[in-house]
Amino acid sequence: MPIVKPAPAEQFDDMGQQRRAVLMGMWVFLVTELLLFGGGFAMFAMYRVQHPQVFAEAAGHLSLPLATANTVLLLTSGLTMALAEQAVEAGSRRLTLVFYLATMALGLGFLGVKGYEWYQEWQAQLMPLPGLVFAWPGNESQQAELFFNLYFILTGLHALHMVIGLGLLGVMVVLVQRWRDPHRLTRQTQVSGLYWAFVDVIWLFLFTTLYLLGP
Amino acid sequence: MNYRQPILIWLGLLALLALTVGLNVLMTGPWRPLLHYVIATAMAALLMVFFMRLRASDGLIRLFAVGGVLWLGLLILITLAEVLTR
């Protein structure tokens, strides 16, 4: 079988240019995503400064052990994703699949723990949804409700990104399974890896902002 | 394959996580939030430089990454400046 030299898409001069354009495009997209989350962070910072006491108290009602466990899961999935990138570059289909599946399992674990946390908060009547009773055991109930609104919006938006990331990884598993164009798979894996690591970075700041600024 | 570097970065991230959670449990006072954010920034930097490969990226991509963080910083800073000086 003749060795096929990878050819760039029509609009590019060479593979190097195509690769740089792919990564640049992904970074630009991630920067817009950063500003989407950034609006949420700015809103949280504004209210945190205005209502320091009740926001700290509300943070104390979240589960730090579960969130820490989730951070470990997510950081470990960042490792397996980085290893998937190395495996695809090394041309090992089997290892790439193993690391992709491990990343997905860890991501699903994260969502499972997050879901359990939400369930606990729902049971504690701290979920500010229409039709549900919001029972705050303290003063400044409205401000506490604001905290939980922001908490559910920010963690919900992040969980949505995790679901999209898992969908992306699911598609990649099928593509790696077929293993048709390794050069293309390498680029696709790098782009998926950027997205996954970005979701990881966002979580680090959500974890710090929501869980660690307690009393 | 080079497993060493990603695993070292991962261990570093876990150590920093242990540090920030430890601080949360043990420390009180006005400096604690600042330390939490310093550690979070260090963890994010490790992720971006190594797992997102900024270390091996060209200058233009680094510029975009720094630009994104810079604009976000301005957004939060100016919002807070308005609230704090009312």
CSV table of all heavy atoms in Angstrom, one decimal, chain A residues 119-140:
chain,number,residue,atom,x,y,z
A,119,TYR,N,-29.5,17.1,44.0
A,119,TYR,CA,-30.6,16.4,44.6
A,119,TYR,C,-30.6,16.8,46.1
A,119,TYR,O,-31.7,17.0,46.7
A,119,TYR,CB,-30.4,14.9,44.4
A,119,TYR,CG,-31.3,14.0,45.2
A,119,TYR,CD1,-32.7,14.0,44.9
A,119,TYR,CD2,-30.9,13.3,46.3
A,119,TYR,CE1,-33.6,13.2,45.7
A,119,TYR,CE2,-31.7,12.5,47.0
A,119,TYR,CZ,-33.1,12.5,46.7
A,119,TYR,OH,-33.9,11.7,47.5
A,120,GLN,N,-29.4,16.8,46.7
A,120,GLN,CA,-29.3,17.1,48.2
A,120,GLN,C,-29.8,18.5,48.4
A,120,GLN,O,-30.5,18.8,49.4
A,120,GLN,CB,-27.9,17.0,48.6
A,120,GLN,CG,-27.4,15.6,49.0
A,120,GLN,CD,-26.1,15.7,49.7
A,120,GLN,OE1,-25.3,16.5,49.5
A,120,GLN,NE2,-25.9,14.7,50.5
A,121,GLU,N,-29.5,19.5,47.5
A,121,GLU,CA,-29.9,20.8,47.7
A,121,GLU,C,-31.4,21.0,47.5
A,121,GLU,O,-32.1,21.8,48.1
A,121,GLU,CB,-29.1,21.8,46.7
A,121,GLU,CG,-27.7,22.0,47.3
A,121,GLU,CD,-26.6,21.9,46.2
A,121,GLU,OE1,-27.0,21.9,45.0
A,121,GLU,OE2,-25.5,21.8,46.6
A,122,TRP,N,-31.9,20.2,46.6
A,122,TRP,CA,-33.4,20.1,46.4
A,122,TRP,C,-34.1,19.6,47.6
A,122,TRP,O,-35.1,20.2,48.1
A,122,TRP,CB,-33.7,19.2,45.2
A,122,TRP,CG,-35.2,19.0,45.0
A,122,TRP,CD1,-36.1,20.0,44.6
A,122,TRP,CD2,-35.9,17.8,45.2
A,122,TRP,NE1,-37.4,19.4,44.5
A,122,TRP,CE2,-37.3,18.1,44.9
A,122,TRP,CE3,-35.5,16.5,45.7
A,122,TRP,CZ2,-38.3,17.1,45.0
A,122,TRP,CZ3,-36.5,15.6,45.8
A,122,TRP,CH2,-37.9,15.9,45.5
A,123,GLN,N,-33.5,18.6,48.2
A,123,GLN,CA,-34.1,18.0,49.5
A,123,GLN,C,-34.0,19.0,50.6
A,123,GLN,O,-34.9,19.1,51.5
A,123,GLN,CB,-33.3,16.8,49.9
A,123,GLN,CG,-33.8,15.5,49.2
A,123,GLN,CD,-33.3,14.3,49.9
A,123,GLN,OE1,-32.1,14.2,50.3
A,123,GLN,NE2,-34.1,13.3,50.0
A,124,ALA,N,-32.9,19.8,50.7
A,124,ALA,CA,-32.8,20.8,51.7
A,124,ALA,C,-33.6,22.1,51.4
A,124,ALA,O,-33.5,23.1,52.2
A,124,ALA,CB,-31.3,21.2,51.9
A,125,GLN,N,-34.4,22.0,50.4
A,125,GLN,CA,-35.2,23.2,50.0
A,125,GLN,C,-34.4,24.4,49.7
A,125,GLN,O,-34.8,25.5,50.1
A,125,GLN,CB,-36.3,23.4,51.0
A,125,GLN,CG,-37.3,22.3,51.2
A,125,GLN,CD,-38.5,22.6,52.0
A,125,GLN,OE1,-38.3,23.0,53.1
A,125,GLN,NE2,-39.7,22.5,51.5
A,126,LEU,N,-33.3,24.2,49.0
A,126,LEU,CA,-32.5,25.3,48.6
A,126,LEU,C,-32.4,25.5,47.1
A,126,LEU,O,-31.5,26.2,46.6
A,126,LEU,CB,-31.0,25.1,49.2
A,126,LEU,CG,-30.9,25.2,50.7
A,126,LEU,CD1,-29.5,24.8,51.1
A,126,LEU,CD2,-31.3,26.6,51.2
A,127,MET,N,-33.4,25.0,46.4
A,127,MET,CA,-33.4,25.1,44.9
A,127,MET,C,-34.4,26.2,44.6
A,127,MET,O,-35.6,26.0,44.7
A,127,MET,CB,-33.8,23.8,44.3
A,127,MET,CG,-33.3,23.6,42.9
A,127,MET,SD,-33.8,22.0,42.2
A,127,MET,CE,-32.2,21.3,42.0
A,128,PRO,N,-34.0,27.3,44.1
A,128,PRO,CA,-34.9,28.4,43.9
A,128,PRO,C,-35.6,28.3,42.5
A,128,PRO,O,-35.2,29.0,41.6
A,128,PRO,CB,-34.0,29.7,44.0
A,128,PRO,CG,-32.7,29.2,43.6
A,128,PRO,CD,-32.6,27.7,43.8
A,129,LEU,N,-36.5,27.4,42.4
A,129,LEU,CA,-37.2,27.3,41.1
A,129,LEU,C,-38.7,27.6,41.3
A,129,LEU,O,-39.2,27.4,42.4
A,129,LEU,CB,-37.1,25.8,40.6
A,129,LEU,CG,-35.8,25.4,40.0
A,129,LEU,CD1,-35.9,23.9,39.6
A,129,LEU,CD2,-35.5,26.3,38.8
A,130,PRO,N,-39.4,28.1,40.3
A,130,PRO,CA,-40.8,28.4,40.4
A,130,PRO,C,-41.5,27.1,40.8
A,130,PRO,O,-41.3,26.1,40.2
A,130,PRO,CB,-41.2,28.9,39.1
A,130,PRO,CG,-40.0,29.1,38.3
A,130,PRO,CD,-38.9,28.4,39.0
A,131,GLY,N,-42.4,27.2,41.8
A,131,GLY,CA,-43.2,26.0,42.2
A,131,GLY,C,-42.5,25.3,43.4
A,131,GLY,O,-43.1,24.4,44.0
A,132,LEU,N,-41.3,25.6,43.7
A,132,LEU,CA,-40.6,24.9,44.8
A,132,LEU,C,-40.5,25.9,46.0
A,132,LEU,O,-40.4,27.1,45.8
A,132,LEU,CB,-39.2,24.5,44.4
A,132,LEU,CG,-39.0,23.3,43.5
A,132,LEU,CD1,-37.5,23.0,43.2
A,132,LEU,CD2,-39.7,22.1,44.0
A,133,VAL,N,-40.5,25.4,47.2
A,133,VAL,CA,-40.4,26.2,48.4
A,133,VAL,C,-38.9,26.4,48.6
A,133,VAL,O,-38.1,25.5,48.6
A,133,VAL,CB,-41.1,25.5,49.6
A,133,VAL,CG1,-40.9,26.4,50.8
A,133,VAL,CG2,-42.5,25.2,49.3
A,134,PHE,N,-38.5,27.7,48.8
A,134,PHE,CA,-37.2,28.0,49.2
A,134,PHE,C,-37.1,28.3,50.6
A,134,PHE,O,-37.6,29.4,51.1
A,134,PHE,CB,-36.6,29.2,48.3
A,134,PHE,CG,-35.2,29.5,48.6
A,134,PHE,CD1,-34.2,28.7,48.0
A,134,PHE,CD2,-34.8,30.5,49.4
A,134,PHE,CE1,-32.8,29.0,48.2
A,134,PHE,CE2,-33.5,30.8,49.7
A,134,PHE,CZ,-32.5,30.0,49.1
A,135,ALA,N,-36.6,27.4,51.4
A,135,ALA,CA,-36.6,27.5,52.9
A,135,ALA,C,-35.2,27.8,53.4
A,135,ALA,O,-34.4,26.9,53.5
A,135,ALA,CB,-37.1,26.3,53.5
A,136,TRP,N,-34.9,29.1,53.6
A,136,TRP,CA,-33.6,29.5,54.1
A,136,TRP,C,-33.6,29.6,55.6
A,136,TRP,O,-34.3,30.4,56.2
A,136,TRP,CB,-33.2,30.8,53.5
A,136,TRP,CG,-31.9,31.4,53.9
A,136,TRP,CD1,-31.7,32.6,54.6
A,136,TRP,CD2,-30.6,30.9,53.7
A,136,TRP,NE1,-30.4,32.8,54.9
A,136,TRP,CE2,-29.7,31.7,54.4
A,136,TRP,CE3,-30.1,29.7,53.1
A,136,TRP,CZ2,-28.3,31.5,54.4
A,136,TRP,CZ3,-28.7,29.5,53.1
A,136,TRP,CH2,-27.9,30.4,53.7
A,137,PRO,N,-32.7,28.8,56.3
A,137,PRO,CA,-32.7,28.9,57.8
A,137,PRO,C,-31.9,30.0,58.3
A,137,PRO,O,-31.0,29.8,59.1
A,137,PRO,CB,-32.1,27.5,58.1
A,137,PRO,CG,-31.1,27.2,57.0
A,137,PRO,CD,-31.7,27.9,55.8
A,138,GLY,N,-32.2,31.2,58.0
A,138,GLY,CA,-31.5,32.4,58.5
A,138,GLY,C,-32.1,33.7,58.0
A,138,GLY,O,-33.2,33.7,57.5
A,139,ASN,N,-31.3,34.8,58.2
A,139,ASN,CA,-31.8,36.1,57.8
A,139,ASN,C,-31.5,36.3,56.3
A,139,ASN,O,-30.8,35.5,55.7
A,139,ASN,CB,-31.1,37.2,58.6
A,139,ASN,CG,-31.5,37.1,60.1
A,139,ASN,OD1,-32.6,36.7,60.4
A,139,ASN,ND2,-30.6,37.3,61.0
A,140,GLU,N,-32.0,37.4,55.8
A,140,GLU,CA,-31.7,37.8,54.4
A,140,GLU,C,-32.0,36.6,53.4
A,140,GLU,O,-31.2,36.3,52.6
A,140,GLU,CB,-30.3,38.2,54.2
A,140,GLU,CG,-29.9,39.5,55.1
A,140,GLU,CD,-28.5,40.0,54.8
A,140,GLU,OE1,-28.4,40.8,53.9
A,140,GLU,OE2,-27.6,39.6,55.5
